[in-house]
Amino acid sequence: MKLFIPDRAYIDPKSLEYDVGKFAKEQLEKLNIPIIESKKVSIEGKSPSENYAKAKKTIYLTVNKEKKLRPCSPSADYQFSLSSSCPGHCEYCYLQTTQGEKPFMRVFVNIYEIIDVIQEHIDKNLPNITTFECGSITDPVALEHLTGNLKRCIEFFGNSEKGRLRVITKFDNVDSFLDINHNKHTKFRFSINTKYIINKFEHNTASFEERMRAACKIASSGYPIGFIIAPIMIYNNWKYDYNELFNELKSQLGSHKEEITFELIQHRFTATAKELILTRFPKTELDLNEETRQLKWGPYGKFKYVYPKEQSSEIKDYISDIIQKNFSNSRIEYFT
Ligand code: SF4
């Protein structure tokens, strides 16, 4: 897919004290992106959906001051961020409720300070291995062409004895990671789904085919790989479509000898997310009917609507079964 090009960029003057900030500014200038140096971002749309659309084309170069990293169960020990938000417009995205009405993209330029914080967390946990997720509030690959920061992180983890990185993406801009010394310390997971779900709900992200090509390149470069199948939805023909998805995965990666992991996440939504989704995507065809769902208490202090027990077990059994039939080298990390 084409690399993301913002419509406008705000730059926190502090970020120009960092080499990555200067580099990113140069990239933006080469692309003729209007640049505003400011300590805050101003987005003035006429409606919530216009605010959303404008924000998703706006970046803000700034500094990440986080010193204490948050835990990241079930996928890693901690999470850190190279950016927040992303250029994708996935209708169901769980970040809908956490990034405000104007989810512009913060792009953090102080990479070596971020790496220092990571190192402190690794040191505190010695002699154990500490794992880090960098895709909890962003897509870390989508904005890589503006900073090169994920590549720097992969190199850092490649040299780290006790630190491991987990990357998750729906984008395919992976070429800059192929020839670097990752030492198998970074695991790439591609978020994939049936073509119906990708085409209908995951706007402005790489297509199924593009993600598969990127996954094959990453696998050939020796990275550990995995797939997140999320959100798994029940709709007409869902079983047929998920079966197709794994058939295609097998045809592309059937000869891959190393382990392939799978993380399985069923579709869920909160009442607040539903409200926001309906203002941003008034014609959405997402199934947001509370009456056909069951309430589950979430770790972030909110109830979420998940599939009732019987359906969620059906999803878990059906998908796990196809994975095991198709991939003898697979491991399902969790279903939630
Ligand atoms: Fe959300 Fe990921 Fe889609 Fe971006 S790509 S909108 S982070 S689900």
Side-chain angles (χ1 to χ4, degrees), residues 56 86 88 90 93 95 170:
K56 285 279 190 170
C86 92
C90 302
C93 177
L95 300 179
K170 284 187 171 74

Side-chain angles (χ1 to χ4, degrees), residues 190-219:
F190 288 83
S191 168
I192 53 165
N193 218 317
T194 64
K195 289 182 190 168
Y196 167 81
I197 292 175
I198 291 178
N199 296 337
K200 198 148 194 86
F201 304 118
E202 299 184 353
H203 318 290
N204 296 0
T205 60
S207 66
F208 177 85
E209 290 76 13
E210 288 166 333
R211 290 181 216 178
M212 283 312 305
R213 275 198 291 279
C216 290
K217 285 186 198 172
I218 284 289

Side-chain angles (χ1 to χ4, degrees), residues 166-195:
R166 288 165 69 83
V167 173
I168 165 77
T169 187
K170 284 187 171 74
F171 287 78
D172 64 345
N173 170 26
V174 298
D175 288 358
S176 63
F177 311 131
L178 301 182
D179 296 321
I180 59 179
N181 177 29
H182 57 76
N183 215 2
K184 295 191 187 289
H185 289 182
T186 292
K187 174 161 189 166
F188 262 90
R189 294 114 80 221
F190 288 83
S191 168
I192 53 165
N193 218 317
T194 64
K195 289 182 190 168

Side-chain angles (χ1 to χ4, degrees), residues 80-273:
F80 70 91
S81 315
L82 301 175
S83 50
S84 69
S85 189
C86 92
H89 288 212
C90 302
E91 295 185 17
Y92 57 74
C93 177
Y94 73 97
L95 300 179
Q96 301 276 11
T97 50
T98 56
Q99 302 197 327
E101 197 191 324
K102 299 168 185 172
F104 59 85
M105 284 150 268
R106 288 186 170 79
V107 178
F108 301 123
V109 298
N110 56 329
I111 182 65
Y112 296 109
E113 290 170 0
I114 295 172
I115 286 177
D116 285 346
V117 173
I118 294 168
Q119 185 63 56
E120 282 165 23
H121 285 70
I122 295 172
D123 290 344
K124 268 191 239 156
N125 194 28
L126 288 174
N128 303 310
I129 285 183
T130 310
T131 51
F132 296 82
E133 179 77 68
C134 70
S136 301
I137 61 162
T138 188
D139 189 298
V141 173
L143 300 161
E144 174 67 2
H145 55 297
L146 299 175
T147 63
N149 275 346
L150 182 55
K151 180 179 173 192
R152 292 184 186 96
C153 275
I154 294 172
E155 285 170 335
F156 163 77
F157 279 97
N159 290 318
S160 170
E161 207 183 317
K162 297 288 182 181
R164 300 289 182 272
L165 177 62
R166 288 165 69 83
V167 173
I168 165 77
T169 187
K170 284 187 171 74
F171 287 78
D172 64 345
N173 170 26
V174 298
D175 288 358
S176 63
F177 311 131
L178 301 182
D179 296 321
I180 59 179
N181 177 29
H182 57 76
N183 215 2
K184 295 191 187 289
H185 289 182
T186 292
K187 174 161 189 166
F188 262 90
R189 294 114 80 221
F190 288 83
S191 168
I192 53 165
N193 218 317
T194 64
K195 289 182 190 168
Y196 167 81
I197 292 175
I198 291 178
N199 296 337
K200 198 148 194 86
F201 304 118
E202 299 184 353
H203 318 290
N204 296 0
T205 60
S207 66
F208 177 85
E209 290 76 13
E210 288 166 333
R211 290 181 216 178
M212 283 312 305
R213 275 198 291 279
C216 290
K217 285 186 198 172
I218 284 289
S220 313
S221 290
Y223 285 91
I225 60 160
F227 292 93
I228 297 199
I229 317 292
I232 301 172
M233 296 184 193
I234 291 185
Y235 58 90
N236 280 345
N237 292 335
W238 69 277
K239 286 190 174 172
Y240 179 86
D241 285 359
Y242 280 102
N243 194 37
E244 283 282 285
L245 159 62
F246 288 102
N247 280 341
E248 294 206 29
L249 262 188
K250 189 173 182 186
S251 76
Q252 305 266 353
L253 283 164
S255 58
H256 187 68
K257 297 279 176 286
E258 310 286 323
E259 180 184 76
I260 301 178
T261 57
F262 291 92
E263 294 156 77
L264 309 178
I265 305 176
Q266 62 167 304
H267 179 236
R268 74 271 316 278
F269 59 91
T270 62
T272 326

